[in-house]
Amino acid sequence: MLSNTRFVVAATALAPLLWGTTYITSTTLLVPGHPLFTATVRALPAGLVLLAIGRRMPRGSWWWRAAVLGGLNIAGFFAFLFIAADRLPGGVAAVVGGVQPLLVAALASRMLSERLTDRVVAAGIGGVVGVALIVLRSAGGLDAIGIAAALLGAVSMALGVVLTKKWSSDLPPLVVTAWQLVAGGVILACLTAVVEPLPTEAFTLTNVIGYAYLTLIGTALAYVLWFRGVTRLPTRIPAFLGLLSPVVALALGGFVSHEFLTLTQAAGVAVVFLSVVTVIGGPISERARSAKPCQPTGRTGG
């Protein structure tokens, strides 16, 4: 049981690691100045691919649930994400989302009756502090609209994650992911048609590779792993794993620009890792201890 839990945690962690590459991909490989179009191209094809694999359409209440979750986890989050990435220096859009784990933990305590312990609160505050230390270096170039978009994206996905846990525990993660991506992609396509002009220049091979990577790897694969973790783990664990995304974004941004971390940023990264380990280490070790007395009864965990 403990080994399986660690595997699920590790697989879930791969999702934010992949998301951390979104910012460098969008700024170096994609057509600039079209955030909603990019979000649409990322979400809708990925959802259709997963839908073709899962071959299962929504039924009953899942028609409106898929629309709600798609609006929160995909349409709202993607739109705010790419707007923020367009208006903020590299990596900053990701690190502002450091408030999300604390939001998820707070919402889960109210909507899912998950315990909001002092450990989780302290780790959440630590995550915010770590993110602030990372952002501090680029404070002079921050844009108010970009910051607002990044924060709204964090709120949107935090609520979406908790509702996904609440509604979809008995459904395959691939199917739930497909429905959300299709619903969110349709919403984004409508927004793009109304708000944003389509790119006029022809796509280069670099653009095609960038969009394909975001669609198949950064979205389809990453979201299946993510929602699998959301349904199988306490919601706070995937949420705190999400803090790994800005660290990857920061590292890639520094690599491309040939810049080194300042001491302040290094301290921020250390605090972020400490926050993640604090939340993940506690539940895993607790499960290991609690599993031993249960073995004679034949009961399974969870």
Side-chain angles (χ1 to χ4, degrees), residues 214-254:
L214 276 186
T215 297
L216 299 176
I217 306 300
T219 303
L221 174 61
Y223 270 90
V224 169
L225 294 174
W226 175 256
F227 287 125
R228 180 173 177 266
V230 168
T231 57
R232 296 191 180 187
L233 299 168
T235 52
R236 62 184 177 273
I237 295 181
F240 274 86
L241 287 172
L243 290 174
L244 299 176
S245 178
V247 173
V248 173
L250 181 68
L252 290 176

Side-chain angles (χ1 to χ4, degrees), residues 4-293:
N4 182 63
T5 300
R6 285 176 172 166
F7 175 80
V8 174
V9 170
T12 306
L14 182 59
L17 294 180
L18 292 172
W19 292 335
T21 68
T22 299
Y23 308 98
I24 195 68
T25 301
S26 64
T27 55
T28 60
L29 301 181
L30 307 185
V31 177
H34 297 276
L36 292 178
F37 172 79
T38 297
T40 303
V41 172
R42 179 183 177 186
L44 188 54
L48 293 174
V49 168
L50 294 180
L51 190 62
I53 296 173
R55 297 185 178 183
R56 183 171 174 179
M57 296 295 290
R59 295 181 181 178
S61 62
W62 264 103
W63 284 105
W64 66 264
R65 287 182 176 182
V68 171
L69 295 180
L72 292 171
N73 285 323
I74 309 302
F77 179 67
F78 279 16
F80 289 130
L81 172 71
F82 283 105
I83 290 172
D86 252 16
R87 302 183 69 100
L88 295 175
V92 176
V95 296
V96 174
V99 299
Q100 182 179 316
L102 204 52
L103 291 173
V104 169
L107 289 171
S109 69
R110 303 295 297 179
M111 301 173 66
L112 302 175
S113 299
E114 292 187 3
R115 292 181 60 198
L116 184 60
T117 63
D118 293 341
R119 176 200 291 263
V120 173
V121 172
I125 295 173
V128 174
V129 171
V131 165
L133 291 174
I134 296 174
V135 179
L136 188 61
R137 187 186 185 203
S138 301
L142 298 185
D143 174 85
I145 295 178
I147 291 294
L151 290 173
L152 287 172
V155 172
S156 180
M157 193 168 187
L159 181 57
V161 164
V162 174
L163 288 177
T164 299
K165 175 78 169 183
K166 184 178 180 68
W167 289 341
S168 59
S169 59
D170 296 330
L171 292 170
L174 187 146
V175 169
V176 175
T177 304
W179 296 344
Q180 293 188 55
L181 286 170
V182 171
V186 170
I187 295 172
L188 286 168
C190 295
L191 287 174
T192 302
V194 173
V195 175
E196 184 180 277
L198 295 176
T200 56
E201 61 271 32
F203 285 1
T204 65
L205 178 59
T206 299
N207 298 148
V208 173
I209 292 173
Y211 285 119
Y213 170 79
L214 276 186
T215 297
L216 299 176
I217 306 300
T219 303
L221 174 61
Y223 270 90
V224 169
L225 294 174
W226 175 256
F227 287 125
R228 180 173 177 266
V230 168
T231 57
R232 296 191 180 187
L233 299 168
T235 52
R236 62 184 177 273
I237 295 181
F240 274 86
L241 287 172
L243 290 174
L244 299 176
S245 178
V247 173
V248 173
L250 181 68
L252 290 176
F255 176 79
V256 170
S257 61
H258 304 289
E259 296 179 355
F260 295 99
L261 294 181
T262 65
L263 290 177
T264 301
Q265 286 180 311
V269 171
V271 172
V272 165
F273 275 118
L274 180 60
S275 298
V276 173
V277 171
T278 298
V279 170
I280 294 176
I284 290 180
S285 60
E286 288 169 10
R287 288 189 180 194
R289 289 193 299 267
S290 62
K292 294 180 179 179

